[in-house]
Amino acid sequence: MSGIVLTPGAVPLDQWRAVYRGAAPSLDPACRRLVAESAAAVGRILARHKPVYGINTGFGKLASVKIGDADLTTLQRNIVLSHAAGTGTPSPVPVVRLMMALKLGSLAQGASGVRPETVALLEAMLLAGLTPVIPSQGSVGASGDLAPLAHMAAAMIGIGQIDVAGRRLTAESALAKAGLRPLALGPKEGLALLNGTQFSTATALAALFETEIMFRSALITGALATEAAKGSDTPFDPRIHALRRQPGQIETADALRRLMAGSAIRASHLEGDPRVQDPYCLRCQPQVMGAVLDLLRQAAATLGFEANGVSDNPLIFPDAPSGEGDEALSGGNFHAEPVAFAADMIALAICEIGSITERRIAMLVDPALSGLPAFLTPQPGLNSGFMIPQVTAAALVAENKQRATPASVDSIPTSANQEDHVSMAAHGARRLLDMALNGSAIVGIELLAAAQGCEFHAPLRSSAPLEAARARLRREVPMLDHDRHFHPAMEAANAIIRSGALISAVGRELPGVIL
């Protein structure tokens, strides 16, 4: 994938998504002057020989301990080594790369006091594909994502491990092979590198990007399931939704209506159908999925601000050219409460997409509700058909419900009660990728079930976009005319969903989360 140029403080979400997908980021050269001015301001502040938190004092509860000039380099190295105390499985490489890019964009805004060579090393590691191995557990979301970011900083000083094209090397050897040298930290630099919300934000953004694909795919499979059940598109009439005025609901109804337009299956039961109303899982798709869309967009807006923000502490405000008014201001931008709330919103959205999708699967396999053969098999009894895939979908929905409990309402004081209220943003974000995997699997099962249901209406065909979706599935998974090993079909359908191939096959504009 080609590289992209980041403009610190003004990077759109689609560029962060490109980094997550593999694009190599580099900085707009215009930012380098601000970085140099910030580093120079730290030097002038030190020359005053007054205690300034994070520059010549201890950290956290030890902030009152003054550190002499001779020990400032050791101070910064010590904070990195002592805070690199994460545990658990390593974070996925794409998430770590995104975290590094977010930290790069933050440092490059010239408020963190780091030197240009520190920013240059982080940029060079991204361009060379050097990804520190970051344990996924250990952050409470304030005072920043300390442990994960400390592992990143440790790799920059030649400690720990770095992933290079799937191989783990010692940080020192990986840097050497790329022609890079470990960093010798200057005043404040260790703290600037490991203080901030970049781990939580990167993890939440990764889940947002995956959830957008799941959301769009679920619109397609939901429309296909409506066709399989010979449901009505009347509930998608724009006049209904205009009266409620909910933006996501209006867009979702429009998308469902366009997906079904021109269907011969729909035309076949416009007259003489004794049913008055469809079940909620069909009829209320605009209301449920529209609310999901609005919620995800709100989360995206919050994460977009956070991704472009500066969240370490203290922050440096240079007074160039005189330098007389240089200030290092201590605050609390590292507190990740906005990210925690956004992560909780994404969790709720993922949960609801899966929940209504599973209800449509359950409806399709029940002949009393769908009018289709029991469990969508031509010979029920001899064959079990879709009996157990629906059970699997139910299991995944239950698992996501258990994980959707808000993380942001929790707090455990740390650092001898100096950090007495924390966000738990990392916990809230870490669960999301697994939840999105569950959700995509549920949508994949619906794709299989809905396509199977439409087979029973042959020779009638659905609309052009929905037939294209069915054809995409049938390239890899034939109709289930008798029981066979089901798992490969589920894996194939899941891959079609997660890759975005179903969305591409339909070739229609669908509502997006990232505007």
Side-chain angles (χ1 to χ4, degrees), residues 211-512:
T211 302
E212 181 177 46
I213 294 174
M214 179 178 62
F215 170 83
R216 286 174 155 172
S217 299
L219 291 180
I220 298 168
T221 61
L224 195 61
T226 304
E227 288 283 82
K230 287 194 171 181
S232 173
D233 61 357
T234 299
F236 311 147
D237 189 298
R239 293 169 292 183
I240 296 173
H241 307 286
L243 282 173
R244 198 175 193 187
R245 295 176 171 81
Q246 294 286 354
Q249 180 177 325
I250 292 168
E251 287 186 56
T252 300
D254 179 65
L256 290 166
R257 191 174 58 254
R258 287 186 289 108
L259 284 168
M260 294 176 64
S263 165
I265 295 176
R266 174 68 187 113
S268 71
H269 60 100
L270 283 172
E271 296 181 5
D273 192 328
R275 295 173 298 178
V276 178
Q277 290 186 329
D278 292 326
Y280 286 3
C281 63
L282 300 182
R283 184 176 13 137
C284 296
Q285 289 181 78
Q287 288 78 9
V288 174
M289 295 292 280
V292 164
L293 178 59
D294 288 335
L295 194 65
L296 288 173
R297 284 176 174 171
Q298 185 177 344
T302 297
L303 294 174
F305 289 130
E306 192 71 13
N308 281 295
V310 180
S311 55
D312 59 293
N313 181 62
L315 297 175
I316 306 301
F317 294 88
D319 183 25
S322 72
E324 294 178 3
D326 294 324
E327 290 188 272
L329 302 182
S330 288
N333 277 3
F334 50 71
H335 199 294
E337 194 80 352
V339 182
F341 282 152
D344 283 345
M345 288 190 287
I346 295 170
L348 293 174
I350 293 172
C351 203
E352 283 299 275
I353 294 170
S355 181
I356 195 170
T357 300
E358 184 278 330
R359 287 294 80 202
R360 289 192 296 266
I361 299 167
M363 178 270 301
L364 288 176
V365 301
D366 186 343
L369 295 175
S370 68
L372 297 167
F375 301 108
L376 300 175
T377 178
Q379 291 183 282
L382 176 63
N383 296 294
S384 295
F386 279 76
M387 181 186 294
I388 302 307
Q390 185 271 323
V391 174
T392 298
L396 295 174
V397 168
E399 187 174 310
N400 274 359
K401 286 180 181 178
Q402 293 157 11
R403 291 179 170 181
T405 301
S408 57
V409 298
D410 190 17
S411 177
I412 298 178
T414 60
S415 192
N417 275 308
Q418 175 74 8
E419 296 157 8
D420 57 353
H421 182 278
V422 298
S423 71
M424 298 300 179
H427 296 74
R430 279 182 47 244
R431 64 187 159 164
L432 295 177
L433 282 173
D434 284 342
M435 290 182 70
L437 284 174
N438 288 346
S440 295
I442 297 165
V443 176
I445 292 170
E446 181 176 43
L447 174 60
L448 292 166
Q452 179 80 2
C454 287
E455 300 283 358
F456 293 106
H457 302 316
L460 296 177
R461 293 173 62 81
S462 184
S463 64
L466 293 181
E467 285 299 328
R470 196 149 65 105
R472 179 63 185 84
L473 174 69
R474 291 291 175 249
R475 279 167 47 187
E476 299 179 42
V477 182
M479 176 189 175
L480 188 72
D481 54 3
H482 62 276
D483 281 353
R484 59 175 182 260
H485 188 197
F486 217 116
H487 179 71
M490 290 171 58
E491 289 295 291
N494 195 359
I496 290 170
I497 299 298
R498 291 181 58 201
S499 67
L502 187 69
I503 300 167
S504 298
V506 164
R508 293 290 192 277
E509 189 67 31
L510 296 168

Side-chain angles (χ1 to χ4, degrees), residues 21-47:
R21 298 295 181 197
S26 58
L27 286 172
D28 183 341
C31 70
R32 303 191 190 282
R33 177 184 60 82
L34 293 175
V35 175
E37 287 178 359
S38 180
V42 170
R44 293 191 293 265
I45 290 170
L46 274 171

Side-chain angles (χ1 to χ4, degrees), residues 137-213:
Q137 294 171 279
S139 173
V140 295
S143 167
D145 294 313
L146 295 172
L149 287 167
H151 282 275
M152 179 197 76
M156 295 175 69
I157 65 174
I159 305 294
Q161 292 183 311
I162 288 178
D163 182 289
V164 184
R167 293 181 58 220
R168 288 190 192 175
L169 306 175
T170 65
E172 190 173 24
S173 63
L175 290 170
K177 287 179 181 294
L180 302 173
R181 299 183 63 182
L183 186 67
L185 294 168
K188 193 188 178 297
E189 289 192 319
L191 183 59
L193 286 167
L194 61 85
N195 202 327
T197 66
Q198 287 79 29
F199 174 78
S200 296
T201 304
T203 309
L205 279 173
L208 181 73
F209 301 147
E210 300 295 348
T211 302
E212 181 177 46
I213 294 174

